[in-house]
Amino acid sequence: MRRPILAGNWKMNTCRESAGSLAAAIAEQVPASRDDVEVIVCPPAVYLDSVLSAASGSGLQVGGQNASDQDPGAFTGETACTMLTDLGCSHVILGHSERRQFYGECDGVVNSKTKKALASGLKAIVCVGELLEQREAGETQAVLESQMTGSLADLSADDMTSVVIAYEPVWAIGTGKVATNEQAEEAHVCLRTWLEGRFNSDVAAATRILYGGSVKPDNAAGLLSQANVDGALVGGASLKPELFIPIIDAGAATVA
Ligand code: PEP
């Protein structure tokens, strides 16, 4: 049984006050004893500390949205993975399509960041997903396999206990265009099959694969009830407790 993960990617949103109050509202739903689902929020780096304070004592986990593949040193503007663990973060999102699209992150960079994150004690949420034109050209499977091959290069089966995959079709991110339940399930099966071939059946069975792309309370139950969808990476809807909490509930309903 894979425990569902509901993760919120706040992107470059919130301010100090709203980050703290949003985290507090979500933390209220996630007592330390909660063991049906895992809930993670990934605020902007400058608000990590206040969000960690708001989450303190609860079961809410906190992650970064990105981190450097370098050790601390002369890298202006960067955040080292060890700085995230030092603060108390448990996770880091890597290879989000916005990082790939706007900051030129290729699979090789995602791979070195993933290795650094794991070596620093973080769990990595590694994002993959196809562009609309790639889907329309029938290239989805090839794109996903190539991103997985590059992003997870050199990792061992053991390393994979600290890796979560997020399938985020780029055409569904922030667009309101959600993948159908069948499209999501088909992509997740493809990713799980790849995990079995690259690692083994235990890794394939244990690795959580999240769906991301315009997840909202009204489509969450359908997506999350797919056999190979183990949770959601949520952007816009994670910024409002009244939207994110029902998505957490939908995840919990799949294991009730
Ligand atoms: C995301 O940023 O990872 C995302 C899935 O965004 P949204 O839910 O807004 O589509």
Side-chain angles (χ1 to χ4, degrees):
M1 185 67 206
R2 294 180 294 267
R3 188 174 169 203
I5 295 177
L6 294 312
N9 172 13
W10 294 0
K11 311 195 187 193
M12 200 166 71
N13 291 300
T14 67
C15 62
R16 183 164 54 171
E17 195 190 334
S18 63
S21 59
L22 177 55
I26 297 165
E28 219 172 277
Q29 307 296 314
V30 192
S33 57
R34 187 162 189 170
D35 61 3
D36 53 350
V37 294
E38 286 188 54
V39 183
I40 306 163
V41 291
C42 301
V46 290
Y47 301 133
L48 279 168
D49 211 18
S50 50
V51 166
L52 280 154
S53 298
S56 169
S58 78
L60 178 63
Q61 300 173 81
V62 180
Q65 298 177 11
N66 177 40
S68 173
D69 59 354
Q70 300 294 321
D71 288 325
F75 299 99
T76 303
E78 291 293 301
T79 302
C81 289
T82 48
M83 293 172 179
L84 295 181
T85 39
D86 182 33
L87 278 178
C89 292
S90 53
H91 291 76
V92 62
I93 299 171
L94 296 173
H96 190 279
S97 67
E98 287 150 17
R99 301 290 320 168
R100 292 174 184 265
Q101 187 181 349
F102 302 129
Y103 301 96
E105 287 189 11
C106 58
D107 293 325
V109 169
V110 178
N111 180 238
S112 46
K113 289 185 173 194
T114 301
K115 290 181 198 162
K116 190 59 77 180
L118 302 190
S120 308
L122 290 168
K123 295 188 173 109
I125 302 173
V126 177
C127 303
V128 294
E130 81 286 0
L131 304 170
L132 183 58
E133 53 267 36
Q134 293 169 327
R135 174 163 282 272
E136 288 176 345
E139 294 168 2
T140 300
Q141 180 173 345
V143 169
L144 296 182
E145 290 179 351
S146 153
Q147 289 178 334
M148 293 285 276
T149 301
S151 303
L152 304 182
D154 309 322
L155 265 58
S156 67
D158 215 32
D159 290 331
M160 289 303 292
T161 58
S162 297
V163 174
V164 173
I165 304 296
Y167 168 61
E168 298 208 305
V170 180
W171 47 272
I173 297 178
T175 59
K177 269 191 220 157
V178 66
T180 64
N181 298 339
E182 294 72 26
Q183 285 172 324
E185 175 66 5
E186 185 181 29
H188 284 227
V189 168
C190 160
L191 293 167
R192 205 174 298 288
T193 304
W194 183 90
L195 288 169
E196 180 163 8
R198 163 71 171 79
F199 297 100
N200 56 50
S201 55
D202 289 344
V203 169
T207 303
R208 266 87 57 90
I209 306 178
L210 315 184
Y211 169 80
S214 297
V215 176
K216 306 282 183 246
D218 63 353
N219 58 31
L223 289 160
L224 294 168
S225 62
Q226 300 305 303
N228 287 283
V229 176
D230 309 313
L233 180 54
V234 185
S238 71
L239 292 167
K240 294 187 174 161
E242 67 273 24
L243 298 182
F244 193 51
I245 291 166
I247 295 171
I248 298 172
D249 293 342
T254 66
V255 290

